């Protein structure tokens, strides 16, 4: 059974020991199901400390659910949702956003995965025209699917633009911890402080077992959200085990340690592979992902020892993700193999 | 923090230690996400041993999701789904079945929670008539929400009737372990063997942390189910931790031990409370639930010490659920309190 | 080609000549499509005169669409809609309300097709409980599917009750003209005046070719309705032809003449058939429908000459509908045939 | 009341007198509602003569409904539908396709509105990968929204490519009559003969009042379509009046006369305006639409006398549509005005 750490995805890793321990620690006794328990209360309190006391917090199971239900709360069926053409909500959720919200997704080509007012402009028309899906939400991903990071002013600029036209703003924060660690700014600055209305706060890719939080910074959106979550099949009965995970993640800055370690490993990997002639990095390395062009003929051989995904068959661009548990040895072992194959 | 074991629900309990241990045991190393891992393969193998090699198995997070996605796979938008008026899919899922399948739910009044061909008859009309939602699926709950159990011939009779009219059959098996332990029959006999097409195989109420399995006994229904699960926001990335739970549950008959213990505790409770003048049981006690009429004035006092739910305010009928971790002391302590209050 | 007038349905009849003439009269020249034309403006003005200047009016094509889109505007996906078990929205729209609104339909058994606060009570629970579809709308049909009519105080009582619990009220007015003619009250008294929030104002069953109006008496519901109509595939391009029909219907009280004539023909029919021994009327005859028990063996013979539908196979209850174009000869011819067969 | 014929859209025109006459001619007597009448049977027979005896024909009310319901019958919720970025289904249906089918729409930039295998290629990936909406249908518009026409071999090429990858093909034929008249080929050659699976056969833009037909050339798609139509709120009760319109349209080649006249008027307009210095045509004129760049300052003055739409504010590209009732005088009057303003 090959369970060697590879570079496929940060969700191929296991669960951080402190998180597992926290889950065990809440196991004793009976507690009211569906979130009316003291562990959930405590974890939500911790999240509010990071994001602001006005934040409204709801746990769900998956990142896709966090995105889709957050968008559902922010739209009417006849809205459009605007995102980068590399966005997870567009590429990797099997149409769940369309199916569940009824909305149209409109995409913008963004070479580094980041939206700007200029890029958004082309979809900002047809307001008040009933034949046209009404622009409703701009969704950005922080950090992006291409491993890049929006600065706080960049987020603010997108949010201000969206709000000026009456749109709401959504952030897919599946890797928000990596972004926060990379930028050295607080969660709050990057979200509520910059104008985000609703956030998917990801945990699974940063050492949790399962569980994400939807955080609303706009109370008009969350008022009836409990029904959306239940109807969306995302209300956990034994909620205390999600709560325990978030409690652990926000204790002793575990989230930061995990994320900054993963980021550091990606930097090391990028630094080392960029020394190898014939390997070209295609994106800035700002979090825990490295994108590079690699000769296609060696890809299968590399994958045999360290699993990873080809991002773009056409250009032989690959993606290498590091994780909270990636070691220097993992990186250097892979670099050695790569150097070898590049001969 | 009151975490005394009460009688509110079997999902107020924690996780069986063997299940927790199994989850820890798969934590080492990287494995491909989304179910393409050896633990998932092994757990599915174990499930097939119980349900038949032809069974198709898909893990999801919640019981509501298991029901809704199983029904989605079995229906077209213009079908109706017929169930008891006490069914979880009708009463407790916030309209998720309607929203997600687009179908109409039609109910039958069933005093003991059990459907029969005779009861179903009234909805068996309007076939081929485009104005009428086409009867598509009969959904039964085993054990029922009222704590009763269908015998295998009773299930067979409902399934044969449904199939004879071209309908499919769904079983909500949130407490199927309790039913199997109660009847002393195999999972297979009670499901595939009796004509069930799709099953929600529940784990959470029998000592798991989260995770249910959808099991198809009709391969035409499962062919494209992976897309339904993903679009339904129920595809776990770190699937190995659900798999480990089911592996544990099906090892050394843990499922049976947990369920039969809970059933036994309910029998004890029923036996003891029925000795108390003024307490009337309203349903047969066949699994881990006891339904009884209790004077309304003492309910709040009882709830202060042992939490439980009122099932019907109008008649002051209450529901007491036992669990895998309920002890004789819990039962006798509650009986003593009750006897006291009934004084 | 048998095009004899029967008693099957008021939508088996043709179009009143004045309506046809009105449609021809708007045929000349070009007008902006989708409702921004003077004919639409004028027809809406006429409707407002009948229903109140605050009414918001939108034309659609079918009665099902009027019901479904009006309900869509009044609900969130996680609401329930409560209606009589004989309601058209429950029995005859192939699940369109569930599919399009995502809501659960809850029914009440109402022997004469009319809801009352008492009957509604059983569904008025589970408020604020996320597992339960939140009661959202009470839908009544005026006149009912059983040919009975709510008095204005009866409507008011249902509306007051619904509003007192935070629900909205919907009226399916497919035969509202027949009800208004029967009661001798204005449209306004029976709708806005009695507390109705949204109405399906039917035309097709009263001599129009196609086209119904959705009328909102609650401006918060109509604000974004134009998008719902368009996304609901019910925005007519050549709107002037629907407008012309409503213009005609509301000119010279054509609506009243058509409806009261149809009602009168039903009264005549009821009076005559009730003289025939062995024929039992099962509902009051308050509009243009007669419900009666007829010996099953003669039904096919009757249908050969005058088409009509069996309402309930089990009891051999039949429904005879009259129409704006039914003549006394039609009625007496049928009565003669019936008397003959009963002989 | 300005009802001067302009160049806004072919749906701003009225109804052809022969069509109106046909509607009147079926007005006598009672006929079974919902399509079980001899007029509907006859009209469907006429359509089959044009499109092939295997065609399955269903009438609906609007072009949007024809597109959306045809696509619904051809997809599962987790499919994607691929179209030109100018497609009506993408730009002008307020997200109805996404809402009603649950599918993702993927667009291709096509300067002349026409898809090719080469353009489609970029979306032909992710097959069998559950995270990715599965490519399900290619939708083309004939004639396109830009007034261009696919040749039969071009259609065949797109269909063969789609079929080779397991996709179905849909044609939005809102202006299929104009295309057929332009190409001089039969309806059948351009649709079933070229590999189209489902067609929206448009009437409203070619002189009808309302009503479109959905035509399936793939019987597996139409088997349960009657339920989709009813649940889609598109089943007309007085169907005979839609049937009569199609009957008229297919009698004496009225469809051809109307369409070719409109096309001819567009040619004349194009020919004349292209003589005016400063006016640049932007698309080939193959049907009844002319696209041109016009100095923005004169647009409002032109619109005061002859209404038309600006297609692209950024470039001051306008769209002039002719209709079955456009006269040479209309064209020359407008040309004279334009020449005047350009002077």
């Amino acid at each position: 059974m090959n369970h060697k750490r590879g570079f496929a995805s940060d969700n191929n890793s296991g669960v951080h020991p402190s998180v597992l321990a926290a889950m065990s620690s809440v196991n004793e006794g009976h507690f009211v199901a569906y979130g009316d328990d003291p562990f959930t209360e405590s974890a939500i309190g911790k999240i509010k400390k990071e994001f602001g006391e006005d934040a409204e917090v709801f746990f769900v199971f998956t990142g896709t659910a966090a995105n889709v239900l957050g968008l559902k709360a922010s739209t009417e069926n006849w809205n459009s949702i605007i995102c980068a053409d590399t966005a997870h909500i567009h590429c990797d959720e099997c149409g769940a956003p369309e199916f569940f919200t009824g909305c149209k997704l409109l995409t913008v080509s963004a070479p580094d995965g980041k939206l700007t007012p200029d890029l958004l402009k082309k979809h900002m028309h047809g307001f008040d025209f009933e034949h046209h899906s009404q622009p409703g939400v701009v969704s950005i991903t922080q950090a992006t699917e291409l491993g890049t990071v929006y600065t706080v002013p960049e987020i603010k600029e997108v949010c201000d633009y969206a709000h000026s036209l009456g749109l709401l703003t959504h952030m897919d924060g599946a890797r928000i911890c990596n972004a926060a660690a990379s930028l050295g700014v607080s969660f709050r600055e990057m979200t509520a402080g910059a104008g985000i209305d609703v956030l998917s706060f990801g945990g699974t890719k940063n050492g949790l077992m399962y569980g994400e939080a939807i955080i609303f910074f706009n109370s008009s959106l969350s008022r009836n959200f409990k029904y959306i979550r239940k109807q969306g099949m995302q209300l956990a009965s034994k909620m205390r085990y999600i709560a325990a995970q978030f409690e652990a993640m926000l204790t002793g800055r575990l989230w930061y340690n995990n994320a900054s370690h993963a980021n550091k490993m990606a930097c090391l990997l990028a630094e080392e592979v960029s020394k190898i002639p014939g390997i070209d990095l295609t994106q800035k390395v700002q979090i825990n992902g490295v994108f590079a062009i690699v000769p296609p003929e060696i890809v299968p051989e590399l994958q045999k020892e360290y699993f990873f995904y080809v991002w773009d068959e056409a250009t032989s661009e690959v993606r290498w993700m590091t994780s909270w548990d990636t070691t220097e040895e993992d990186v250097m072992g892979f670099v050695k193999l790569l150097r070898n194959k590049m001969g």
Side-chain angles (χ1 to χ4, degrees), chain A:
Chain A
M1 197 186 302
N2 175 18
H3 55 285
K4 191 171 181 174
R5 287 185 295 272
F7 301 93
S9 176
D10 29 12
N11 64 24
N12 284 16
S13 66
V15 180
H16 191 277
S18 306
V19 174
L20 259 189
M23 297 172 85
S24 290
S25 77
V26 301
N27 196 46
E28 207 54 45
H30 279 207
F31 290 93
V32 175
Y34 302 114
D36 193 9
D37 67 80
F39 307 112
T40 301
E41 194 188 343
S42 170
I44 288 178
K46 273 225 156 77
I47 292 176
K48 287 186 173 192
K49 276 221 178 86
E50 300 281 347
F51 286 95
E53 287 304 317
D54 293 346
E56 292 285 340
V57 182
F58 296 83
F59 294 121
V60 295
F61 287 99
T62 72
T64 293
N67 286 335
V68 170
L69 299 191
L71 290 168
K72 174 74 179 168
S74 312
T75 53
E76 302 281 348
N77 302 135
W78 33 267
N79 280 129
S80 59
I81 297 165
I82 304 154
C83 62
D85 59 2
T86 46
H88 196 269
I89 59 170
H90 183 61
C91 301
D92 298 301
E93 301 186 351
C94 200
E98 283 92 344
F99 176 74
F100 204 82
T101 69
C103 293
K104 176 180 285 298
L105 262 69
L106 293 174
T107 61
V108 167
S109 178
D112 62 354
K114 290 160 66 177
L115 297 180
T116 64
D118 242 39
L119 289 173
L120 289 168
K121 215 171 174 179
K122 75 166 186 172
H123 292 305
M124 296 300 147
H125 62 91
F127 290 98
D128 203 34
F129 183 58
E130 72 211 272
H131 302 264
H132 193 73
S133 294
Q134 293 297 295
V137 177
V138 171
S139 176
I140 66 175
T141 310
Q142 175 75 327
T144 74
E145 292 80 1
L146 299 178
T148 56
V149 172
Y150 287 87
T151 65
V152 172
E154 284 170 347
I155 297 171
K156 202 170 167 342
E157 206 187 11
V158 168
C159 291
D160 287 351
Y161 179 69
H163 290 155
S164 75
L165 291 164
L167 284 77
L168 295 168
T169 55
H170 169 262
M171 180 184 278
D172 176 351
R175 292 191 184 96
I176 193 177
C177 293
N178 302 89
S182 172
L183 288 175
V185 303
S186 74
F187 287 129
R188 183 169 190 167
E189 278 176 87
M190 226 166 37
T191 56
I196 293 297
D197 292 304
V198 55
L199 167 72
S200 297
F201 180 37
T204 312
K205 289 189 160 82
N206 197 29
L208 302 196
M209 185 185 286
Y210 66 103
E212 318 272 308
I214 301 174
I215 309 182
F216 293 98
F217 304 112
N218 181 328
S219 62
S220 70
L221 304 181
S222 58
R223 212 177 46 246
N224 290 309
F225 187 72
K226 66 179 175 178
Y227 305 115
I228 293 178
R229 178 172 62 175
K230 176 63 195 178
Q231 199 177 36
M233 307 175 289
Q234 292 289 329
L235 179 61
S237 55
K238 299 185 176 178
M239 188 78 88
R240 55 174 134 162
Y241 301 95
I242 301 184
Q245 295 179 69
F246 275 90
E247 184 83 28
M249 184 176 164
L250 296 174
T251 298
R253 287 171 63 81
L254 178 63
W255 71 265
Y256 179 84
N257 297 340
N258 281 352
S260 61
H261 173 79
N263 291 356
K264 211 175 106 190
M265 290 301 100
C267 282
L268 176 63
L269 177 58
E271 201 184 307
E272 292 297 322
V273 300
S274 64
K275 294 177 191 163
I276 304 175
I279 304 294
D280 293 311
L281 300 191
T282 53
Q283 295 286 347
K284 285 186 203 167
V285 177
Q286 298 184 311
I287 52 157
N288 62 324
V290 179
F291 289 75
I293 307 279
V294 170
E297 63 276 13
I298 70 166
V299 168
E301 296 176 59
L302 295 171
Q303 285 173 324
K304 240 179 279 167
E305 295 198 36
Y306 295 88
F307 191 52
F308 61 87
Y309 290 102
V310 174
W311 186 254
D312 185 341
E313 294 280 357
T315 58
S316 195
E317 185 182 14
V318 303
R319 184 188 79 161
W320 297 314
M321 299 302 296
T322 55
S323 175
W324 67 269
D325 64 350
T326 303
T327 64
E328 278 195 37
E329 290 69 42
D330 296 336
V331 172
M332 297 313 293
F334 178 67
V335 169
K336 190 175 159 191
L337 177 71
L338 178 59
R339 194 178 291 125
N340 222 336
K341 298 294 176 192
M342 291 296 289

